[in-house]
Amino acid sequence: MHRASESVELEAAILGKNDKLAAENRGWLKAKNILALNLVSSPGSGKTTLLERTLTDLKDKIPMAVIEGDQETLNDAERIRATGTACVQVNTGTGCHLEADMVQKGMEQLDPQENSLLLIENVGNLVCPALFDLGERAKVAILSVTEGADKPAKYPHMIAASDILVINKIDLLPYVTFDVDAAIQAARDINPAIKVFQVSATNGEGLDVWYDWLLAEIGVSGTIQAAE
Ligand code: MG
Ligand code: ZN
């Protein structure tokens, strides 16, 4: 019993310190009107592909920067830099999520511009990233149609913590049994206000709606067409 309560206290202390740093990040981002999004998902949902595509299609419209979180490798950061976007890689080692201090250090290095978009790719994991506020404006949960449509029900804390659900790889719907309506319903049962986008980061379907939302959030108007 004693040890269990010590571990609960330790967890509360870690989260308390994280929340303080996250609040600093949020204040700094708000003062510069930077839209910071925290992208969370299982491994393989297509987060990096969605980022690459978004960075390529919006690069003449708004300034953007990326913080890449992965346990190991620089692969994703290299893919992001190939689009011409400034990117900082955070390798968490054994850590399974990003924390606010990592994002703070990443922002110090990137020094993102005012009225810009800061995309934070979290470690592929639907569990503990739900607990760690990074100071983002919204968590964006990404679910691909090659996964189970019951994922929202299995990871309710992440769905509850997210403002946005992106259903990715919709170009593959003819080949899989994924039930889009059931997945959306499962998410809305947990978080009725969650905003849903259905996209294919590979063929561009649905991305115009995603881009319009991003630009509107930053306060830039104009419709962007996804490149073919
Ligand atoms: Mg990735
Ligand atoms: Zn973790």
Side-chain angles (χ1 to χ4, degrees), residues 61-224:
K61 200 77 187 173
I62 37 166
M64 291 176 284
V66 174
I67 296 175
E68 267 295 335
D70 260 316
Q71 287 195 321
E72 294 288 344
T73 85
L74 303 175
N75 298 358
D76 286 0
E78 282 163 10
R79 286 171 61 188
I80 296 304
R81 288 190 190 115
T83 69
T85 310
C87 176
V88 166
Q89 173 85 45
V90 178
N91 282 125
T92 57
T94 56
C96 40
H97 56 266
L98 290 176
E99 296 188 17
D101 70 320
M102 301 169 188
V103 169
Q104 197 164 83
K105 288 186 189 110
M107 292 197 307
E108 279 164 17
Q109 255 181 280
L110 284 170
D111 195 20
Q113 296 180 44
E114 288 188 18
N115 307 310
S116 68
L117 176 60
L118 176 64
L119 295 160
I120 304 165
E121 180 174 342
N122 216 313
V123 180
N125 166 7
L126 281 171
V127 185
C128 46
L131 294 173
F132 287 86
D133 184 4
L134 305 179
E136 73 275 357
R137 197 180 302 174
K139 283 188 178 68
V140 178
I142 300 168
L143 173 64
S144 67
V145 305
T146 52
E147 302 171 55
D150 60 349
K151 275 247 171 104
K154 286 184 174 173
Y155 299 96
H157 302 295
M158 185 56 85
I159 294 298
S162 298
D163 294 292
I164 313 288
L165 174 66
V166 174
I167 299 179
N168 191 24
K169 309 191 189 180
I170 59 167
D171 55 302
L172 299 179
L173 280 172
Y175 314 106
V176 294
T177 57
F178 188 92
D179 183 336
V180 174
D181 293 337
I184 293 171
Q185 191 55 54
R188 293 215 164 116
D189 285 345
I190 297 155
N191 181 352
I194 201 162
K195 187 171 177 58
V196 181
F197 295 95
Q198 298 181 45
V199 308
S200 164
T202 53
N203 78 6
E205 214 179 327
L207 287 177
D208 48 349
V209 184
W210 164 242
Y211 296 154
D212 285 347
W213 179 80
L214 291 173
L215 295 177
E217 282 289 307
I218 300 169
V220 179
S221 61
T223 300
I224 306 297

